[in-house]
Amino acid sequence: MWWNCVLIYNMKKYINILILIIITTVSCSKKSSIQWYNDFSEALKVSQSENKPIMIYFYTEWCTICKVLDRKIYADKNIVKKLDNFISVKINPEDNKTNEEITKEYNVDGFPTIVFINNNEFILKRVVGYLEPDNFSDTLDLALAKVDIVKEEFKSEEATTKKLDIYIDSQYVDKSIEMYDTLLENNKIDNNNIPKYLSSIATIMFENNRIIEESLEYFDKILNEYSSSPEVYNAHFYKAIYMYGNGEINKTIEYLENLKDKAPSDIKEKYIDFINYIKEEDNI
């Protein structure tokens, strides 16, 4: 009967729509999670083949913050979408000797640490600990933009302050020191910028557990020779951390209390946070 034909026709339309929905859903679901590599060598080959930078996620099974990252950051739709521009690899140093060596090579001693590199293994960005989704998203944008910046700037071997800025931002300690010394020797650094570079190099030395005493020499140079520079307050902050690390608890608090009202607002906030941390940690 004619109504059977209509019914069959409508059923076919309905089935076709269902099939389309299923296909679309499956297709979308494939893009709703990050494609992780667990082999760094394989990830590097894919990176070079597809001309994409790499995000290396250093983690451990016992790392609590890593679990927060997995749940909040790597499940965020905006971040998942942006990570299509990267090759993502997970490295657990406790899994095998190769991963342990890669972790040491990238100077990772805390978890989580995320290192962004280009396909020539030049470090673009480094993140230690947790970032909120918006901040992490911004970091992805900066890392991606830096790919072209590095490529353009390193076409020549000329020593430039832009190269120095790149090395500092990427936390290449030795290369930063070498570039700074070369530029200084050739009078290519404006005197007004010397304290900034001394402070930046000393900071990455200190935070990467490089010869702490050597970083303090840079900070002392700022305090002794550039006392009118705002960088003196950053130098004081790291000297205070050093004091505290040597067990000089009350001296550290007194040192920062005497300086905090003179410091710029952003540094003052760091002083206050550190003072409160010490008091809480040491029951003062």
Side-chain angles (χ1 to χ4, degrees), residues 4 50 83 87 94 119 153 173 181 213 229-230 248 283:
N4 285 336
E50 298 186 11
L83 280 172
I87 302 301
E94 297 175 346
N119 52 25
E153 187 60 28
V173 177
D181 289 343
E213 285 73 17
S229 168
E248 300 175 86
N283 299 314

Side-chain angles (χ1 to χ4, degrees), residues 7-8 10 57 65-66 90 102-103 139 143 180 182 211 260 274 276:
L7 181 61
I8 291 168
N10 287 335
Y57 172 33
I65 300 175
C66 298
K90 297 174 89 169
I102 293 168
T103 304
T139 300
Y180 171 80
T182 300
I211 313 168
K260 73 178 191 327
F274 190 32
N276 291 337

Side-chain angles (χ1 to χ4, degrees), residues 240 243 248-260 271 275 278-279:
M243 282 183 207
E248 300 175 86
I249 299 169
N250 291 325
K251 186 178 177 181
T252 304
I253 294 173
E254 183 181 352
Y255 186 76
L256 291 175
E257 289 283 7
N258 289 335
L259 288 164
K260 73 178 191 327
Y271 285 9
I275 291 168
I278 295 170
K279 288 180 177 178

